[in-house]
Amino acid sequence: MKIGYTALNWTIGCKGAKTFRLKSYSHERFIETAKNNLDCLLTMLKFNVENNLLFFRITSRLIPFASHPIMDFDWQEYFKDNFNEINEFIHENDIRISMHPGQFVVINSKDPEVFERGLNELKYHSEVFDILNLDSTAKMQVHVGGVYGDKEKSMERFIERYKNLDKNIKRRLVIENDEKSYNLSECLEINKKTKIPVLFDYFHHELNNTGEGLEGCFENFTKTWKAKDGLPLVDYSSQKPEKSKGTHIESIDLEHFKKFLKETSNFDFDIMLEIKDKETSALKAVDIIKHDNRFKK
């Protein structure tokens, strides 16, 4: 079991998800921004290894405008040495990597142009994984998408489009249950027809479920993961008190987290904390989980 956090680190003094307005695009501005993001990524990974945080979600903003038609720069070659250094560090320290393409990636969109733009974004994310020489345990997670007034047809549209995706994207892609449209049971139904692994979002499940218990959920979703996919992935967070339903908590609720670990003690999986104070909560979580026999130190 590895534990991690998402995209940014507020402790180390660099911001690894910088971008800029499209109208300001130039090769000089792009190089400066992408170089900052890559340097900061390596700095974050070094911080993480020092603190037993061996799972990390890389920001989708790592290479700004990489999937946009304006991109006319060979960033893969220009930043080859940077990527090689990151690649070596990841493999030397057995770090697990994931990415989460943005909400505008909608595989089941009824608009072909929206689907094509999302497909370009998936190609970019997959290319980052390829450049870093990551195997199929490195995952890109997406939501199923919209309902569009007919959930059954929308699920079928996802299934048909998924079947026609490039193999390199398919071997990395996973779907997660969401808090409004597609619950775990519906994701599992899609898995039956596609074999796509299901990432379990615990917080989303608390908000959108069919009454199934947590142990049953783990029994079912973990079976969608094969050896080539690595350990099953779980997103963890909880509700921020006195805020609208679905608002992620600012800092980890340690009692809630302990309860979650106890209820899932029969399963081995990697945990991604989706909590707003990032590494601060991750360090607290490590302190809680370090005596768990599942935890990789």
Side-chain angles (χ1 to χ4, degrees), residues 77-91:
E77 179 63 28
Y78 188 89
F79 293 113
K80 181 173 63 176
D81 291 343
N82 299 86
F83 277 109
N84 285 341
E85 188 175 9
I86 295 168
N87 166 22
E88 289 175 7
F89 189 80
I90 287 172
H91 287 85

Side-chain angles (χ1 to χ4, degrees), residues 215-230:
E215 185 166 357
C217 292
F218 271 73
E219 285 281 1
N220 290 323
F221 95 85
T222 55
K223 291 176 182 175
T224 69
W225 293 74
K226 308 304 180 186
K228 63 182 176 58
D229 300 310

Side-chain angles (χ1 to χ4, degrees), residues 133-147:
N133 195 30
L134 299 175
D135 62 20
S136 56
T137 65
K139 296 300 185 184
M140 305 182 287
Q141 65 190 82
V142 296
H143 297 288
V144 176
V147 174

Side-chain angles (χ1 to χ4, degrees), residues 42-132:
L42 183 58
T43 302
M44 287 188 285
L45 292 175
K46 289 178 178 178
F47 172 95
N48 293 347
V49 168
E50 290 173 0
N51 291 281
N52 281 327
L53 298 168
L54 298 179
F55 184 22
F56 190 65
R57 183 188 294 171
I58 296 176
T59 176
S60 293
R61 295 182 175 184
L62 184 69
I63 306 296
F65 303 109
S67 66
H68 194 279
I70 199 173
M71 179 53 64
D72 61 352
F73 186 82
D74 188 0
W75 55 269
Q76 299 91 333
E77 179 63 28
Y78 188 89
F79 293 113
K80 181 173 63 176
D81 291 343
N82 299 86
F83 277 109
N84 285 341
E85 188 175 9
I86 295 168
N87 166 22
E88 289 175 7
F89 189 80
I90 287 172
H91 287 85
E92 285 172 3
N93 293 282
D94 192 24
I95 303 169
R96 191 170 192 182
I97 296 295
S98 69
M99 296 183 80
H100 193 339
Q103 59 186 4
F104 48 86
V105 176
V106 187
I107 291 175
N108 76 348
S109 176
K110 294 179 74 174
D111 185 336
E113 291 186 4
V114 172
F115 168 66
E116 287 299 326
R117 286 197 295 270
L119 184 57
N120 288 335
E121 190 72 1
L122 291 176
K123 290 176 180 176
Y124 149 61
H125 283 74
S126 184
E127 188 165 18
V128 169
F129 286 161
D130 287 345
I131 295 171
L132 291 174

Side-chain angles (χ1 to χ4, degrees), residues 15-16 31-32 36 55 79 89 124 135 147 201 207 225 228 232 235 245-246 261 263 269 295:
K15 185 177 179 182
I31 290 170
E32 177 187 359
N36 167 83
F55 184 22
F79 293 113
F89 189 80
Y124 149 61
D135 62 20
V147 174
D201 190 304
L207 300 170
W225 293 74
K228 63 182 176 58
D235 284 351
K245 189 176 179 181
L261 291 175
E263 291 180 354
F269 52 95
F295 183 57

Side-chain angles (χ1 to χ4, degrees), residues 11-44:
T11 300
I12 60 176
C14 70
K15 185 177 179 182
K18 286 188 174 181
T19 187
F20 51 90
R21 292 180 182 274
L22 183 61
K23 65 181 182 181
S24 301
Y25 181 85
S26 68
H27 287 174
E28 292 76 16
R29 186 75 181 271
F30 168 76
I31 290 170
E32 177 187 359
T33 306
K35 178 69 162 56
N36 167 83
N37 292 348
L38 289 165
D39 288 345
C40 192
L41 172 59
L42 183 58
T43 302
M44 287 188 285

